[in-house]
Amino acid sequence: MKTTLLPKSCALGFTALLTVACGGEDWQDSLQAWSLVGDPFADRIVSFTPGAAAGFGQSQLPGIVLGAPQGDGASSGSLDVLSLGRNGVIVLEFTDIAVTDGPGVDLLVFENAFLKPTGKPFAETGVVAVSDDGVTWHEFPCASSDVANNYPGCAGVTPVYSNPSNGIPATNPAVAGGDGFDLASVGLTRARFVRIRDSGANGYAGTSGGFDLDAVAVVNGVQLP
């Protein structure tokens, strides 16, 4: 199968067909080479096992975690999220475009983290794993107790800037926000499934406890048949 990498230096917009808006004639000439049918966001919820203190967002399933992120910037967390609750787990599937190992970040996971006045993140961490068959999983190490170093390897740390209303592309790690993951770091070349598990190290009160999932997006992708 031919691998097609989504160019990170461009503004990427997905509708029924990926279109690439970049400066320079070279990009114009190679537009077809970068085109993938579908969109870069999760297409299906395979399973969701909520933990204690979950509930927020469940009435809006499945759409609330499928499609583009609804980022609200550095100082405010989006409410377009699903709370997983303590140790809650969700598994998502890409059915048209899979994540593939390319240069740098391959996958972005969006939560609703924001920055405190001190500049440190208000984070609710999640542990991310990927799989190509939905059976064998490769988990990214998540240091959910390492506050001093901003929870390396975890999702739920970086604010989300991308939103359909502001034109910031959700597939460009340089501007989208969210937390990036490189398949090479777990020894995988392609992934069709993403699993996110609340780390168990967050706050759990009411019905909005734990990791709050907004969306996931393919950065480097390959067309699925």
Side-chain angles (χ1 to χ4, degrees):
M1 181 181 296
K2 181 181 178 181
T3 297
T4 305
L5 302 183
L6 311 188
K8 299 177 187 176
S9 59
C10 307
L12 302 183
F14 283 78
T15 52
L17 181 69
L18 173 69
T19 59
V20 183
C22 304
E25 293 182 0
D26 290 344
W27 286 114
Q28 295 286 340
D29 293 341
S30 62
L31 177 61
Q32 291 302 317
W34 295 107
S35 295
L36 295 174
V37 178
D39 66 59
F41 309 114
D43 300 294
R44 187 172 79 92
I45 298 174
V46 177
S47 64
F48 172 44
T49 306
F56 189 87
Q58 288 187 30
S59 65
Q60 298 179 63
L61 287 172
I64 197 165
V65 295
L66 306 179
Q70 306 289 321
D72 208 17
S75 59
S76 179
S78 171
L79 297 180
D80 188 75
V81 294
L82 173 70
S83 297
L84 301 190
R86 186 188 296 271
N87 298 315
V89 180
I90 190 167
V91 177
L92 304 169
E93 181 182 5
F94 297 104
T95 62
D96 47 13
I97 298 171
V99 186
T100 192
D101 182 32
V105 170
D106 302 310
L107 171 73
L108 285 170
V109 177
F110 303 100
E111 206 245 6
N112 65 349
F114 59 90
L115 298 180
K116 303 174 187 178
T118 60
K120 299 289 286 184
F122 177 85
E124 292 176 307
T125 53
V127 182
V128 177
V130 287
S131 172
D132 196 41
D133 59 8
V135 177
T136 302
W137 291 93
H138 302 254
E139 190 170 276
F140 295 91
C142 163
S144 60
S145 61
D146 191 352
V147 180
N149 292 301
N150 293 336
Y151 318 97
C154 301
V157 178
T158 306
V160 179
Y161 302 98
S162 177
N163 188 302
S165 67
N166 63 22
I168 297 175
T171 54
N172 187 336
V175 295
D179 299 291
F181 297 87
D182 182 353
L183 295 190
S185 67
V186 291
L188 198 62
T189 58
R190 193 184 80 163
R192 295 185 298 121
F193 299 88
V194 178
R195 184 183 70 198
I196 303 168
R197 172 175 54 84
D198 175 77
S199 68
N202 301 308
Y204 304 97
T207 60
S208 59
F211 185 92
D212 300 311
L213 178 62
D214 184 348
V216 298
V218 175
V219 176
N220 290 320
V222 61
Q223 190 75 60
L224 290 171

PDB file of all heavy atoms in Angstrom, residues 102-132:
ATOM      1  N   GLY A 102       5.474   8.657  10.108  1.00  0.00           N
ATOM      2  CA  GLY A 102       6.138   9.598   9.213  1.00  0.00           C
ATOM      3  C   GLY A 102       7.073  10.477  10.013  1.00  0.00           C
ATOM      4  O   GLY A 102       7.419  10.154  11.154  1.00  0.00           O
ATOM      5  N   PRO A 103       7.479  11.606   9.470  1.00  0.00           N
ATOM      6  CA  PRO A 103       8.369  12.508  10.205  1.00  0.00           C
ATOM      7  C   PRO A 103       7.682  13.099  11.433  1.00  0.00           C
ATOM      8  O   PRO A 103       6.587  13.656  11.339  1.00  0.00           O
ATOM      9  CB  PRO A 103       8.679  13.609   9.178  1.00  0.00           C
ATOM     10  CG  PRO A 103       8.318  13.023   7.851  1.00  0.00           C
ATOM     11  CD  PRO A 103       7.197  12.080   8.106  1.00  0.00           C
ATOM     12  N   GLY A 104       8.292  12.963  12.599  1.00  0.00           N
ATOM     13  CA  GLY A 104       7.789  13.618  13.802  1.00  0.00           C
ATOM     14  C   GLY A 104       6.467  13.068  14.294  1.00  0.00           C
ATOM     15  O   GLY A 104       6.197  11.866  14.255  1.00  0.00           O
ATOM     16  N   VAL A 105       5.601  13.978  14.750  1.00  0.00           N
ATOM     17  CA  VAL A 105       4.302  13.616  15.322  1.00  0.00           C
ATOM     18  C   VAL A 105       3.405  12.996  14.257  1.00  0.00           C
ATOM     19  O   VAL A 105       3.273  13.521  13.149  1.00  0.00           O
ATOM     20  CB  VAL A 105       3.623  14.868  15.921  1.00  0.00           C
ATOM     21  CG1 VAL A 105       2.176  14.584  16.293  1.00  0.00           C
ATOM     22  CG2 VAL A 105       4.396  15.363  17.135  1.00  0.00           C
ATOM     23  N   ASP A 106       2.770  11.875  14.600  1.00  0.00           N
ATOM     24  CA  ASP A 106       1.863  11.188  13.676  1.00  0.00           C
ATOM     25  C   ASP A 106       0.399  11.324  14.080  1.00  0.00           C
ATOM     26  O   ASP A 106      -0.490  11.228  13.233  1.00  0.00           O
ATOM     27  CB  ASP A 106       2.204   9.694  13.620  1.00  0.00           C
ATOM     28  CG  ASP A 106       3.632   9.447  13.192  1.00  0.00           C
ATOM     29  OD1 ASP A 106       4.053  10.023  12.168  1.00  0.00           O
ATOM     30  OD2 ASP A 106       4.340   8.688  13.890  1.00  0.00           O
ATOM     31  N   LEU A 107       0.149  11.533  15.365  1.00  0.00           N
ATOM     32  CA  LEU A 107      -1.207  11.551  15.909  1.00  0.00           C
ATOM     33  C   LEU A 107      -1.317  12.664  16.938  1.00  0.00           C
ATOM     34  O   LEU A 107      -0.410  12.859  17.750  1.00  0.00           O
ATOM     35  CB  LEU A 107      -1.508  10.203  16.581  1.00  0.00           C
ATOM     36  CG  LEU A 107      -2.796  10.085  17.398  1.00  0.00           C
ATOM     37  CD1 LEU A 107      -4.013  10.043  16.479  1.00  0.00           C
ATOM     38  CD2 LEU A 107      -2.753   8.840  18.289  1.00  0.00           C
ATOM     39  N   LEU A 108      -2.436  13.389  16.915  1.00  0.00           N
ATOM     40  CA  LEU A 108      -2.717  14.400  17.933  1.00  0.00           C
ATOM     41  C   LEU A 108      -3.947  13.992  18.730  1.00  0.00           C
ATOM     42  O   LEU A 108      -4.953  13.547  18.161  1.00  0.00           O
ATOM     43  CB  LEU A 108      -2.957  15.770  17.296  1.00  0.00           C
ATOM     44  CG  LEU A 108      -1.724  16.514  16.786  1.00  0.00           C
ATOM     45  CD1 LEU A 108      -2.137  17.729  15.963  1.00  0.00           C
ATOM     46  CD2 LEU A 108      -0.830  16.946  17.947  1.00  0.00           C
ATOM     47  N   VAL A 109      -3.857  14.152  20.051  1.00  0.00           N
ATOM     48  CA  VAL A 109      -4.982  13.890  20.950  1.00  0.00           C
ATOM     49  C   VAL A 109      -5.336  15.205  21.641  1.00  0.00           C
ATOM     50  O   VAL A 109      -4.473  15.861  22.230  1.00  0.00           O
ATOM     51  CB  VAL A 109      -4.631  12.813  21.996  1.00  0.00           C
ATOM     52  CG1 VAL A 109      -5.796  12.611  22.969  1.00  0.00           C
ATOM     53  CG2 VAL A 109      -4.278  11.498  21.307  1.00  0.00           C
ATOM     54  N   PHE A 110      -6.612  15.568  21.570  1.00  0.00           N
ATOM     55  CA  PHE A 110      -7.073  16.854  22.090  1.00  0.00           C
ATOM     56  C   PHE A 110      -7.954  16.647  23.322  1.00  0.00           C
ATOM     57  O   PHE A 110      -8.945  15.915  23.271  1.00  0.00           O
ATOM     58  CB  PHE A 110      -7.871  17.600  21.019  1.00  0.00           C
ATOM     59  CG  PHE A 110      -7.106  17.841  19.740  1.00  0.00           C
ATOM     60  CD1 PHE A 110      -7.299  17.019  18.638  1.00  0.00           C
ATOM     61  CD2 PHE A 110      -6.200  18.882  19.645  1.00  0.00           C
ATOM     62  CE1 PHE A 110      -6.609  17.239  17.455  1.00  0.00           C
ATOM     63  CE2 PHE A 110      -5.494  19.108  18.470  1.00  0.00           C
ATOM     64  CZ  PHE A 110      -5.700  18.288  17.374  1.00  0.00           C
ATOM     65  N   GLU A 111      -7.593  17.330  24.401  1.00  0.00           N
ATOM     66  CA  GLU A 111      -8.384  17.334  25.629  1.00  0.00           C
ATOM     67  C   GLU A 111      -8.869  18.763  25.835  1.00  0.00           C
ATOM     68  O   GLU A 111      -9.043  19.493  24.866  1.00  0.00           O
ATOM     69  CB  GLU A 111      -7.527  16.818  26.795  1.00  0.00           C
ATOM     70  CG  GLU A 111      -8.336  16.200  27.929  1.00  0.00           C
ATOM     71  CD  GLU A 111      -8.230  16.985  29.229  1.00  0.00           C
ATOM     72  OE1 GLU A 111      -7.627  18.064  29.255  1.00  0.00           O
ATOM     73  OE2 GLU A 111      -8.771  16.510  30.231  1.00  0.00           O
ATOM     74  N   ASN A 112      -9.092  19.200  27.064  1.00  0.00           N
ATOM     75  CA  ASN A 112      -9.471  20.602  27.288  1.00  0.00           C
ATOM     76  C   ASN A 112      -8.583  21.257  28.338  1.00  0.00           C
ATOM     77  O   ASN A 112      -9.037  22.047  29.161  1.00  0.00           O
ATOM     78  CB  ASN A 112     -10.955  20.743  27.643  1.00  0.00           C
ATOM     79  CG  ASN A 112     -11.322  20.097  28.971  1.00  0.00           C
ATOM     80  OD1 ASN A 112     -10.522  19.365  29.558  1.00  0.00           O
ATOM     81  ND2 ASN A 112     -12.529  20.360  29.445  1.00  0.00           N
ATOM     82  N   ALA A 113      -7.298  20.915  28.284  1.00  0.00           N
ATOM     83  CA  ALA A 113      -6.319  21.537  29.178  1.00  0.00           C
ATOM     84  C   ALA A 113      -6.237  23.040  28.916  1.00  0.00           C
ATOM     85  O   ALA A 113      -6.535  23.514  27.819  1.00  0.00           O
ATOM     86  CB  ALA A 113      -4.951  20.901  28.966  1.00  0.00           C
ATOM     87  N   PHE A 114      -5.816  23.776  29.930  1.00  0.00           N
ATOM     88  CA  PHE A 114      -5.572  25.212  29.755  1.00  0.00           C
ATOM     89  C   PHE A 114      -4.420  25.621  30.661  1.00  0.00           C
ATOM     90  O   PHE A 114      -3.985  24.848  31.532  1.00  0.00           O
ATOM     91  CB  PHE A 114      -6.828  26.037  30.053  1.00  0.00           C
ATOM     92  CG  PHE A 114      -7.377  25.867  31.447  1.00  0.00           C
ATOM     93  CD1 PHE A 114      -6.955  26.682  32.488  1.00  0.00           C
ATOM     94  CD2 PHE A 114      -8.325  24.889  31.712  1.00  0.00           C
ATOM     95  CE1 PHE A 114      -7.459  26.525  33.772  1.00  0.00           C
ATOM     96  CE2 PHE A 114      -8.841  24.721  32.993  1.00  0.00           C
ATOM     97  CZ  PHE A 114      -8.409  25.542  34.026  1.00  0.00           C
ATOM     98  N   LEU A 115      -3.913  26.823  30.444  1.00  0.00           N
ATOM     99  CA  LEU A 115      -2.780  27.303  31.220  1.00  0.00           C
ATOM    100  C   LEU A 115      -3.249  28.123  32.415  1.00  0.00           C
ATOM    101  O   LEU A 115      -4.113  28.986  32.293  1.00  0.00           O
ATOM    102  CB  LEU A 115      -1.853  28.149  30.347  1.00  0.00           C
ATOM    103  CG  LEU A 115      -1.209  27.436  29.156  1.00  0.00           C
ATOM    104  CD1 LEU A 115      -0.320  28.409  28.387  1.00  0.00           C
ATOM    105  CD2 LEU A 115      -0.417  26.212  29.598  1.00  0.00           C
ATOM    106  N   LYS A 116      -2.650  27.861  33.570  1.00  0.00           N
ATOM    107  CA  LYS A 116      -2.906  28.656  34.766  1.00  0.00           C
ATOM    108  C   LYS A 116      -2.182  30.000  34.635  1.00  0.00           C
ATOM    109  O   LYS A 116      -1.310  30.163  33.774  1.00  0.00           O
ATOM    110  CB  LYS A 116      -2.389  27.914  35.999  1.00  0.00           C
ATOM    111  CG  LYS A 116      -2.960  26.523  36.198  1.00  0.00           C
ATOM    112  CD  LYS A 116      -2.265  25.843  37.371  1.00  0.00           C
ATOM    113  CE  LYS A 116      -2.675  24.403  37.524  1.00  0.00           C
ATOM    114  NZ  LYS A 116      -1.960  23.725  38.633  1.00  0.00           N
ATOM    115  N   PRO A 117      -2.497  30.977  35.487  1.00  0.00           N
ATOM    116  CA  PRO A 117      -1.774  32.258  35.442  1.00  0.00           C
ATOM    117  C   PRO A 117      -0.264  32.104  35.600  1.00  0.00           C
ATOM    118  O   PRO A 117       0.507  32.939  35.122  1.00  0.00           O
ATOM    119  CB  PRO A 117      -2.378  33.025  36.618  1.00  0.00           C
ATOM    120  CG  PRO A 117      -3.757  32.481  36.742  1.00  0.00           C
ATOM    121  CD  PRO A 117      -3.637  31.019  36.417  1.00  0.00           C
ATOM    122  N   THR A 118       0.168  31.016  36.227  1.00  0.00           N
ATOM    123  CA  THR A 118       1.605  30.763  36.394  1.00  0.00           C
ATOM    124  C   THR A 118       2.265  30.291  35.106  1.00  0.00           C
ATOM    125  O   THR A 118       3.491  30.214  35.020  1.00  0.00           O
ATOM    126  CB  THR A 118       1.830  29.681  37.458  1.00  0.00           C
ATOM    127  OG1 THR A 118       1.179  28.471  37.033  1.00  0.00           O
ATOM    128  CG2 THR A 118       1.260  30.114  38.802  1.00  0.00           C
ATOM    129  N   GLY A 119       1.441  29.947  34.107  1.00  0.00           N
ATOM    130  CA  GLY A 119       1.972  29.399  32.869  1.00  0.00           C
ATOM    131  C   GLY A 119       2.051  27.889  32.862  1.00  0.00           C
ATOM    132  O   GLY A 119       2.334  27.283  31.821  1.00  0.00           O
ATOM    133  N   LYS A 120       1.805  27.256  34.002  1.00  0.00           N
ATOM    134  CA  LYS A 120       1.787  25.795  34.078  1.00  0.00           C
ATOM    135  C   LYS A 120       0.412  25.289  33.635  1.00  0.00           C
ATOM    136  O   LYS A 120      -0.605  25.956  33.820  1.00  0.00           O
ATOM    137  CB  LYS A 120       2.068  25.328  35.509  1.00  0.00           C
ATOM    138  CG  LYS A 120       3.429  25.742  36.038  1.00  0.00           C
ATOM    139  CD  LYS A 120       4.555  24.970  35.373  1.00  0.00           C
ATOM    140  CE  LYS A 120       4.635  23.551  35.873  1.00  0.00           C
ATOM    141  NZ  LYS A 120       5.803  22.822  35.292  1.00  0.00           N
ATOM    142  N   PRO A 121       0.354  24.100  33.050  1.00  0.00           N
ATOM    143  CA  PRO A 121      -0.937  23.607  32.570  1.00  0.00           C
ATOM    144  C   PRO A 121      -1.827  23.089  33.692  1.00  0.00           C
ATOM    145  O   PRO A 121      -1.344  22.501  34.664  1.00  0.00           O
ATOM    146  CB  PRO A 121      -0.541  22.460  31.634  1.00  0.00           C
ATOM    147  CG  PRO A 121       0.758  21.965  32.178  1.00  0.00           C
ATOM    148  CD  PRO A 121       1.464  23.194  32.696  1.00  0.00           C
ATOM    149  N   PHE A 122      -3.124  23.332  33.551  1.00  0.00           N
ATOM    150  CA  PHE A 122      -4.107  22.589  34.332  1.00  0.00           C
ATOM    151  C   PHE A 122      -4.396  21.345  33.512  1.00  0.00           C
ATOM    152  O   PHE A 122      -5.082  21.400  32.490  1.00  0.00           O
ATOM    153  CB  PHE A 122      -5.382  23.391  34.551  1.00  0.00           C
ATOM    154  CG  PHE A 122      -6.437  22.614  35.303  1.00  0.00           C
ATOM    155  CD1 PHE A 122      -6.426  22.569  36.685  1.00  0.00           C
ATOM    156  CD2 PHE A 122      -7.412  21.897  34.617  1.00  0.00           C
ATOM    157  CE1 PHE A 122      -7.379  21.834  37.379  1.00  0.00           C
ATOM    158  CE2 PHE A 122      -8.365  21.163  35.298  1.00  0.00           C
ATOM    159  CZ  PHE A 122      -8.353  21.131  36.685  1.00  0.00           C
ATOM    160  N   ALA A 123      -3.833  20.237  33.923  1.00  0.00           N
ATOM    161  CA  ALA A 123      -3.867  19.024  33.112  1.00  0.00           C
ATOM    162  C   ALA A 123      -4.677  17.935  33.796  1.00  0.00           C
ATOM    163  O   ALA A 123      -4.638  17.779  35.021  1.00  0.00           O
ATOM    164  CB  ALA A 123      -2.445  18.524  32.867  1.00  0.00           C
ATOM    165  N   GLU A 124      -5.411  17.184  32.987  1.00  0.00           N
ATOM    166  CA  GLU A 124      -6.059  15.949  33.426  1.00  0.00           C
ATOM    167  C   GLU A 124      -5.567  14.875  32.467  1.00  0.00           C
ATOM    168  O   GLU A 124      -5.995  14.813  31.318  1.00  0.00           O
ATOM    169  CB  GLU A 124      -7.575  16.096  33.403  1.00  0.00           C
ATOM    170  CG  GLU A 124      -8.071  17.077  34.459  1.00  0.00           C
ATOM    171  CD  GLU A 124      -9.563  17.295  34.389  1.00  0.00           C
ATOM    172  OE1 GLU A 124     -10.063  17.619  33.299  1.00  0.00           O
ATOM    173  OE2 GLU A 124     -10.228  17.153  35.427  1.00  0.00           O
ATOM    174  N   THR A 125      -4.664  14.063  32.948  1.00  0.00           N
ATOM    175  CA  THR A 125      -3.861  13.232  32.063  1.00  0.00           C
ATOM    176  C   THR A 125      -4.547  11.940  31.635  1.00  0.00           C
ATOM    177  O   THR A 125      -5.348  11.355  32.357  1.00  0.00           O
ATOM    178  CB  THR A 125      -2.521  12.887  32.733  1.00  0.00           C
ATOM    179  OG1 THR A 125      -2.775  12.328  34.028  1.00  0.00           O
ATOM    180  CG2 THR A 125      -1.663  14.131  32.885  1.00  0.00           C
ATOM    181  N   GLY A 126      -4.175  11.513  30.429  1.00  0.00           N
ATOM    182  CA  GLY A 126      -4.649  10.254  29.888  1.00  0.00           C
ATOM    183  C   GLY A 126      -3.503   9.478  29.273  1.00  0.00           C
ATOM    184  O   GLY A 126      -2.518  10.060  28.798  1.00  0.00           O
ATOM    185  N   VAL A 127      -3.624   8.159  29.288  1.00  0.00           N
ATOM    186  CA  VAL A 127      -2.616   7.263  28.726  1.00  0.00           C
ATOM    187  C   VAL A 127      -3.104   6.806  27.353  1.00  0.00           C
ATOM    188  O   VAL A 127      -4.211   6.275  27.222  1.00  0.00           O
ATOM    189  CB  VAL A 127      -2.386   6.043  29.638  1.00  0.00           C
ATOM    190  CG1 VAL A 127      -1.296   5.145  29.061  1.00  0.00           C
ATOM    191  CG2 VAL A 127      -2.031   6.492  31.050  1.00  0.00           C
ATOM    192  N   VAL A 128      -2.276   7.013  26.334  1.00  0.00           N
ATOM    193  CA  VAL A 128      -2.656   6.720  24.950  1.00  0.00           C
ATOM    194  C   VAL A 128      -1.991   5.431  24.487  1.00  0.00           C
ATOM    195  O   VAL A 128      -0.811   5.187  24.760  1.00  0.00           O
ATOM    196  CB  VAL A 128      -2.248   7.883  24.025  1.00  0.00           C
ATOM    197  CG1 VAL A 128      -2.558   7.560  22.566  1.00  0.00           C
ATOM    198  CG2 VAL A 128      -2.955   9.167  24.447  1.00  0.00           C
ATOM    199  N   ALA A 129      -2.760   4.611  23.781  1.00  0.00           N
ATOM    200  CA  ALA A 129      -2.231   3.404  23.152  1.00  0.00           C
ATOM    201  C   ALA A 129      -2.769   3.332  21.729  1.00  0.00           C
ATOM    202  O   ALA A 129      -3.839   3.872  21.432  1.00  0.00           O
ATOM    203  CB  ALA A 129      -2.622   2.153  23.935  1.00  0.00           C
ATOM    204  N   VAL A 130      -2.029   2.673  20.847  1.00  0.00           N
ATOM    205  CA  VAL A 130      -2.436   2.547  19.448  1.00  0.00           C
ATOM    206  C   VAL A 130      -2.344   1.090  19.013  1.00  0.00           C
ATOM    207  O   VAL A 130      -1.578   0.297  19.572  1.00  0.00           O
ATOM    208  CB  VAL A 130      -1.565   3.433  18.529  1.00  0.00           C
ATOM    209  CG1 VAL A 130      -1.915   4.901  18.708  1.00  0.00           C
ATOM    210  CG2 VAL A 130      -0.079   3.212  18.785  1.00  0.00           C
ATOM    211  N   SER A 131      -3.141   0.753  17.996  1.00  0.00           N
ATOM    212  CA  SER A 131      -3.172  -0.617  17.490  1.00  0.00           C
ATOM    213  C   SER A 131      -3.577  -0.591  16.028  1.00  0.00           C
ATOM    214  O   SER A 131      -4.346   0.281  15.603  1.00  0.00           O
ATOM    215  CB  SER A 131      -4.180  -1.449  18.290  1.00  0.00           C
ATOM    216  OG  SER A 131      -4.367  -2.729  17.711  1.00  0.00           O
ATOM    217  N   ASP A 132      -3.076  -1.545  15.265  1.00  0.00           N
ATOM    218  CA  ASP A 132      -3.502  -1.644  13.871  1.00  0.00           C
ATOM    219  C   ASP A 132      -4.627  -2.650  13.689  1.00  0.00           C
ATOM    220  O   ASP A 132      -5.364  -2.588  12.705  1.00  0.00           O
ATOM    221  CB  ASP A 132      -2.326  -2.025  12.967  1.00  0.00           C
ATOM    222  CG  ASP A 132      -2.626  -1.761  11.497  1.00  0.00           C
ATOM    223  OD1 ASP A 132      -3.238  -0.712  11.201  1.00  0.00           O
ATOM    224  OD2 ASP A 132      -2.260  -2.596  10.650  1.00  0.00           O
TER     225      ASP A 132
END
